[in-house]
Amino acid sequence: MVIEGMDGVGKSTQAVCLMERLRGEGERVLLTKEPGGTEIGEQIRALLLDKRHTRMCVETELFLYMASRSQLIFEVIRPALRVGKVVISDRYVLSSLVYQGFAGGLGVEEVQQVARLATKGLQPDLMIVLDLPLQVALRRVSGGGDRMECKGEGFFRKVREGYLSLADGSLARRVEVVDALGEVEEVAERVYGVWCRHFRG
């Protein structure tokens, strides 16, 4: 499964919360984070998030994300799935559909074509999109962290629109939007509730 959402919504925190809860219940869980997660992927991550690379075009951005993702699938995700582990990914293809396809202007279908090659068709059973009002999310990343977080309010408005649009569209069967307002524990309960409905219902 995948936990998604725009920068500032608390994806990484909620991914860890879910992992710890499931492990406490006896599940064998692997948590992965994009971009990165492998030696090659971490080098790609450094390129992608370096604020000095202001001239990186969106096509290059897309191919770098997909390259990191492909290596992560090959080295980490597929081996874990083969031995029956639950895999929780902090971002996956939906991020590229939104950030490069929708907000970046490449087009969702074009990004899907690249994703099919990069992932060899590996699809998550569930995608949870954490959602916050735009200004709340922007306050959490104010001060400009990495290159992606510095893209500005107009870009992130499109990112949020992209997530909500895709969650209501062709991906609706596998996407659930979760309100990320509130204390960490409150949001964690909502995420866990979605997990239970999908996998234990």
Side-chain angles (χ1 to χ4, degrees):
M1 70 152 292
V2 179
I3 296 185
E4 284 278 2
M6 65 178 288
D7 295 84
V9 297
K11 296 177 313 305
S12 299
T13 298
Q14 291 305 323
V16 170
C17 287
L18 182 59
M19 174 194 70
E20 291 177 346
R21 184 156 189 173
L22 294 180
R23 283 181 175 174
E25 295 174 350
E27 298 277 6
R28 293 188 301 155
V29 184
L30 172 72
L31 175 60
T32 67
K33 182 179 177 67
E34 291 196 0
T38 66
E39 184 178 349
I40 292 170
E42 290 300 324
Q43 293 180 54
I44 294 172
R45 179 185 180 87
L47 280 172
L48 278 165
L49 302 185
D50 191 330
K51 288 192 285 188
R52 295 173 297 176
H53 299 319
T54 57
R55 298 184 62 196
M56 184 182 294
C57 69
V58 67
E59 290 86 356
T60 299
E61 191 175 279
L62 172 65
F63 291 134
L64 286 172
Y65 274 111
M66 289 295 183
S68 175
R69 182 171 294 133
S70 184
Q71 192 67 27
L72 183 66
I73 291 168
F74 173 74
E75 277 193 45
V76 178
I77 295 177
R78 285 195 185 276
L81 292 174
R82 279 197 292 268
V83 297
K85 289 185 178 180
V86 173
V87 176
I88 300 172
S89 183
D90 181 347
R91 293 201 183 282
Y92 193 60
V93 171
L94 186 55
S95 284
S96 292
L97 297 180
V98 170
Y99 277 76
Q100 288 82 47
F102 193 96
L106 288 181
V108 171
E109 178 52 39
E110 286 75 7
V111 173
Q112 285 177 325
Q113 291 177 17
V114 180
R116 281 191 281 270
L117 174 62
T119 66
K120 294 186 177 178
L122 183 64
Q123 296 284 343
D125 297 308
L126 171 65
M127 292 171 276
I128 293 176
V129 173
L130 299 178
D131 182 57
L132 281 175
L134 179 64
Q135 294 304 320
V136 176
L138 289 176
R139 281 199 299 273
R140 292 185 179 182
V141 296
S142 64
D146 57 47
R147 187 183 66 86
M148 295 301 291
E149 292 174 348
C150 293
K151 285 189 177 256
E153 182 175 336
F155 179 81
F156 285 110
R157 181 175 289 107
K158 290 181 181 178
V159 167
R160 184 171 186 244
E161 290 172 2
Y163 274 117
L164 296 178
S165 174
L166 291 173
D168 283 338
S170 60
L171 299 177
R173 184 177 58 84
R174 290 183 290 118
V175 178
E176 184 122 10
V177 178
V178 171
D179 182 4
L181 276 175
E183 298 298 322
V184 169
E185 295 78 11
E186 295 175 304
V187 180
E189 283 300 319
R190 294 172 201 148
V191 170
Y192 180 68
V194 172
W195 165 272
C196 290
R197 286 199 303 275
H198 279 261
F199 296 108
R200 296 176 179 170

